[in-house]
Amino acid sequence: MDMKLLGLSMCCPCITFGANAELLGEDWMLYCLFCILPGPMCYFGPYIRNKIRRTFEIEASDQDDVLAYLLCPCLAIIQETQQLKSAGMKPGGDALNRG
């Protein structure tokens, strides 16, 4: 487990969420703001998760994506970041990938 990613995502999930969205072609700042507000996050969190699943052909359901964000959004964001990193992508550029 990447302890730096865990700490950042638990304390400031909006930064990690925005970085993940940016790698998928979305606007970093907009998704960072969505993460701060609980209403939009219930929609856009599962949207990004679904986009990652489609990109990497991961089987799951839309209900699973919604449940992940309702029950523990920070851990869902961490899981998504780990998936992007394992595919060779670097969420957040240098900010999330130092040391």
Side-chain angles (χ1 to χ4, degrees):
M1 172 61 81
D2 183 344
M3 297 308 285
K4 184 177 66 171
L5 174 62
L6 176 65
L8 179 63
S9 297
M10 296 303 279
C11 295
C12 250
C14 57
I15 293 172
T16 311
F17 185 67
N20 290 347
E22 184 177 44
L23 281 176
L24 297 169
E26 305 294 340
D27 182 74
W28 181 88
M29 182 59 77
L30 186 62
Y31 278 77
C32 196
L33 291 173
F34 287 154
C35 191
I36 294 170
L37 305 169
M41 189 59 181
C42 290
Y43 173 78
F44 289 104
Y47 169 77
I48 290 296
R49 193 169 179 84
N50 183 282
K51 204 167 182 180
I52 290 171
R53 282 193 305 103
R54 282 186 282 127
T55 300
F56 298 104
E57 300 177 356
I58 299 169
E59 291 189 33
S61 69
D62 293 338
Q63 294 84 3
D64 293 340
D65 297 340
V66 171
L67 280 174
Y69 271 90
L70 287 176
L71 298 176
C72 197
C74 292
L75 292 180
I77 293 169
I78 291 169
Q79 185 181 38
E80 294 161 9
T81 305
Q82 294 285 29
Q83 175 63 41
L84 293 170
K85 281 184 172 184
S86 72
M89 300 171 121
K90 292 189 172 188
D94 291 336
L96 295 180
N97 296 295
R98 288 193 185 118

